[in-house]
């Protein structure tokens, strides 16, 4: 299950965290993630770029136990075309907003789904998009930021 799917992603990174064995993302998702990695590398050639899959595929049982997950999540076996990602460039973690802005340049994500969270971003290659949502905390409400 640790098969290399592309130069920067392995099958195990997409595996459902419950251990059920679901770990086969749609090839279009992996291709789009590779393009996003390439975009960050072109913009930051001096730094190490890491795209971390923080919300992998999910079986129905895991999805039912996941807080905030929707019934027709793109993470599910029926679709297998959505993940949540974090991006680290050098030693700097990117915000969900910055990840989303860059993901919008990738055609499959721009035509698919992009959801923004504080420190991560959901991306998917749904065929019936585009879909957009923003669940990030407004800057005024974040800790340490005064009005």
């Amino acid at each position: 299950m640790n098969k290399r799917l592309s130069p920067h992603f392995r099958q195990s990174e997409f595996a459902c965290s419950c251990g059920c064995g679901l770990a086969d993302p749609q090839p279009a998702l992996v291709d789009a993630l590779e393009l996003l990695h390439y975009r960050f590398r072109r913009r930051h050639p001096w730094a190490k770029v890491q795209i971390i899959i923080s919300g992998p595929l999910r079986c129905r049982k895991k999805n039912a136990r996941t807080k905030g997950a929707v019934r027709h999540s793109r993470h599910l076996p029926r679709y297998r075309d959505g993940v949540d990602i974090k991006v680290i460039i050098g030693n700097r973690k990117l915000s969900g907003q910055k990840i989303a802005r860059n993901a919008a340049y990738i055609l499959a994500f721009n035509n698919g789904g992009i959801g923004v969270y504080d420190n991560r971003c959901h991306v998917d290659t749904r065929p019936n998009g585009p879909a957009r949502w923003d669940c990030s905390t407004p800057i005024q409400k974040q800790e340490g930021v005064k009005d």
Side-chain angles (χ1 to χ4, degrees):
M1 179 157 90
N2 206 18
K3 180 175 91 172
R4 186 170 291 284
L5 301 175
S6 71
H8 298 100
F9 297 98
R10 293 186 168 277
Q11 189 175 21
S12 59
E13 295 177 82
F14 295 89
C16 180
S17 60
C18 80
C20 67
L22 175 65
D24 55 336
Q26 293 289 345
L29 174 62
V30 178
D31 293 345
L33 286 168
E34 268 305 320
L35 289 171
L36 184 60
H37 190 279
Y38 178 76
R39 176 175 171 75
F40 283 122
R41 281 294 296 144
R42 296 282 295 171
R43 293 178 59 107
H44 305 279
W46 62 88
K48 180 179 179 182
V49 173
Q50 299 175 73
I51 295 181
I52 299 162
I53 298 174
S54 60
L57 302 178
R58 295 185 211 122
C59 65
R60 288 198 176 281
K61 285 183 182 179
K62 176 66 178 170
N63 196 64
R65 293 189 310 258
T66 301
K67 182 181 176 186
V70 295
R71 202 174 87 206
H72 296 289
S73 171
R74 305 308 297 192
H75 298 252
L76 289 169
R78 178 177 178 187
Y79 306 109
R80 303 182 339 270
D81 62 0
V83 291
D84 298 336
I85 59 173
K86 294 181 179 187
V87 177
I88 301 172
I89 298 177
N91 60 358
R92 192 182 64 166
K93 294 178 184 176
L94 269 57
S95 69
Q97 291 283 350
K98 287 185 180 178
I99 299 168
R101 278 196 299 271
N102 282 279
Y105 284 95
I106 308 304
L107 187 61
F109 293 147
N110 192 43
N111 292 339
I114 300 175
V116 180
Y117 301 89
D118 289 332
N119 63 349
R120 63 183 171 30
C121 179
H122 170 92
V123 290
D124 67 56
T125 58
R126 70 181 70 201
N128 58 342
R132 300 289 182 272
W133 62 96
D134 187 342
C135 297
S136 61
T137 306
I139 191 107
Q140 295 84 4
K141 293 183 181 177
Q142 290 178 1
E143 282 185 40
V145 178
K146 300 194 181 203
D147 290 338

